Amino acid sequence: MSTGAPRPLTADATSVPAAPRTTAPPAERSRPAPPWQGQWPVIGAVALGGGIGAAARYGAGLLWPTAPGTFPVTTLLINIVGCALMGVLMALITERGTPHHLLRPFLGTGVLGGFTTFSTYAVDIEHLLTTGRAGLALAYLAATLLGALAAAWAALAGTRRVLTRRGREGRPA
């Protein structure tokens, strides 16, 4: 009769139970997925969109250059406009059904991610601080953060309102 207590080890017993014997089929060779499957289309959409957005940002910087040591208006406007466009995009994507699976990576991450430039924003702040313009750096810091958040929220809310109103009136939205 078993008492449930562990059996004492004997000379031929081990503390590790033996693994069950199974015959597993030989491992199949895994083949890489074709380039048109998996993440490659998403990577391509982001890369293409990023190039377009970065070129647009560069063009804006050429059209409206900011003198060194002054308030970086161009970068501020680029970031605010980019965040507003992101709000519009998110409203359209969430309110208009299911878009193509590459639309958001292309436009959101790619075009708008390449267009907005929060790294330049950080460099601008650092440059203003090191040149003794702490007040201007603080104003730029606050204006960009508040402006970008307000622009994204207002564009999202405004676009949703327009889409809802058009939907109620029976017009194609």
Side-chain angles (χ1 to χ4, degrees):
M1 184 186 249
S2 172
T3 62
R7 294 182 13 206
L9 293 177
T10 59
D12 61 336
T14 63
S15 61
V16 179
R21 295 185 186 254
T22 60
T23 54
E28 291 183 24
R29 269 194 179 165
S30 63
R31 287 186 251 161
W36 59 88
Q37 292 179 345
Q39 292 299 312
W40 288 109
V42 175
I43 292 168
V46 169
L48 180 63
I52 292 168
R57 174 175 26 102
Y58 180 74
L62 290 177
L63 287 172
W64 303 288
T66 301
T70 63
F71 191 88
V73 175
T74 303
T75 304
L76 172 72
L77 292 176
I78 284 170
N79 287 333
I80 289 174
V81 167
C83 287
L85 292 172
M86 183 60 80
V88 170
L89 176 66
M90 291 299 102
L92 291 173
I93 285 176
T94 59
E95 303 292 326
R96 304 295 284 154
T98 306
H100 191 277
H101 74 282
L102 294 178
L103 183 67
R104 192 150 118 187
F106 174 72
L107 290 176
T109 306
V111 174
L112 295 175
F115 181 67
T116 56
T117 175
F118 287 91
S119 59
T120 300
Y121 161 67
V123 170
D124 288 343
I125 291 170
E126 190 269 336
H127 179 70
L128 290 170
L129 287 172
T130 58
T131 57
R133 294 182 169 85
L136 196 57
L138 186 59
Y140 178 51
L141 177 92
T144 300
L145 288 175
L146 295 174
L149 288 172
W153 175 82
L156 178 70
T159 304
R160 282 188 172 156
R161 187 173 297 120
V162 167
L163 292 173
T164 302
R165 185 175 297 144
R166 285 187 177 180
R168 278 193 308 239
E169 294 173 3
R171 287 187 275 161

